[in-house]
Amino acid sequence: LSWMSIQASLHSANNSCNAICRVDVATMSNESCNEKWMPIDGFGNLYQISDAGRARRRPDAPPKKGTYPGRILKLTIGKLGYPQVGLSVDGKTRNVRVHRLVASAFIKNPDAKPQVNHIDGCKANNFVDNLEWATPSENVAHAYRIGLTKPAKGSQCGNAKLTESDVSTIKSACEYHGVVVELARKSGVNKSQISRIRRGKLWRHVA
């Protein structure tokens, strides 16, 4: 696979905000693209990360049983769906998320933002041009903007006092008094809110 064809495949897979990338950058050969490599901090100067999201043992690393210098490391998928790589030093192995390794090595972070955002919403696309540092609020806003996260509606909201069934009753009642007033009293919803529900200003998703 060439560098351009891999990037094209990634962007094609992400035409929908919820698309799942299936491109495995570990299948790329060193001759197929002009990757840039940077050292990974904190692991005895034994590993490198590329701007394409691949990790390897340094070509000049000391020999070690069961591996070899320059070996491309296998990626696994963590519990939250992020590609990760196991890095070992002093006999201990730790799984580290690939997108954080790429961002730490290649993207400046002058404002010390704590999170790394995938611009196209695909967790598997860890090319450097798809990553950016972000604050938690920026990350959440981005997820809403591209459709990865949808705002909670109705009874899904944590502070909701009514259910969809209650709202349906309110909207379909011929008279404001009686059952509607009793429902408002029991649920702690004031008359103003009941009026806005009946006029379609609140709970618009309930017919």
Side-chain angles (χ1 to χ4, degrees):
L1 291 174
S2 69
W3 176 276
M4 294 300 294
S5 65
I6 289 172
Q7 284 193 313
S9 296
L10 283 169
H11 290 298
S12 175
N14 280 282
N15 284 336
S16 167
C17 291
N18 295 317
I20 300 176
C21 296
R22 298 295 183 186
V23 176
D24 182 4
V25 295
T27 63
M28 295 161 53
S29 67
N30 289 331
E31 294 76 28
S32 66
C33 61
N34 186 26
E35 286 181 273
K36 296 178 181 178
W37 295 87
M38 293 288 286
I40 295 175
D41 294 332
F43 291 89
N45 201 29
L46 295 175
Y47 303 99
Q48 295 176 320
I49 188 71
S50 84
D51 57 355
R54 293 201 300 172
R56 71 180 180 184
R57 190 170 176 85
R58 289 180 64 101
D60 57 352
K64 180 183 177 182
K65 184 178 180 181
T67 187
Y68 55 88
R71 177 186 174 219
I72 300 297
L73 304 181
K74 182 179 179 180
L75 305 184
T76 59
I77 304 299
K79 292 182 179 180
L80 297 179
Y82 292 98
Q84 60 187 21
V85 62
L87 304 176
S88 301
V89 64
D90 297 330
K92 297 181 180 179
T93 300
R94 182 161 66 94
N95 289 320
V96 186
R97 291 176 178 174
V98 173
H99 65 291
R100 291 201 64 88
L101 292 174
V102 175
S104 296
F106 292 98
I107 305 174
K108 294 181 179 180
N109 188 16
D111 298 322
K113 295 182 178 182
Q115 297 183 359
V116 180
N117 182 43
H118 289 82
I119 296 171
D120 68 359
C122 178
K123 297 176 182 179
N125 183 358
N126 290 308
F127 282 84
V128 65
D129 61 1
N130 187 51
L131 303 175
E132 62 183 359
W133 290 101
T135 64
S137 60
E138 287 172 340
N139 216 345
V140 170
H142 175 265
Y144 279 112
R145 188 166 60 252
I146 68 173
L148 289 178
T149 302
K150 297 182 184 295
K153 291 183 178 181
S155 59
Q156 294 178 348
C157 296
N159 60 350
K161 295 181 179 181
L162 299 171
T163 66
E164 277 73 11
S165 177
D166 294 334
V167 173
S168 181
T169 298
I170 292 171
K171 288 188 173 185
S172 62
C174 295
E175 298 293 335
Y176 178 82
H177 298 286
V179 64
V180 175
V181 173
E182 180 64 14
L183 182 59
R185 184 186 67 78
K186 289 182 177 180
S187 61
V189 176
N190 59 45
K191 294 181 179 180
S192 172
Q193 287 176 299
I194 294 293
S195 177
R196 294 183 68 191
I197 290 173
R198 288 175 64 83
R199 288 185 286 117
K201 299 295 184 181
L202 297 177
W203 294 74
R204 295 180 182 178
H205 65 289
V206 178

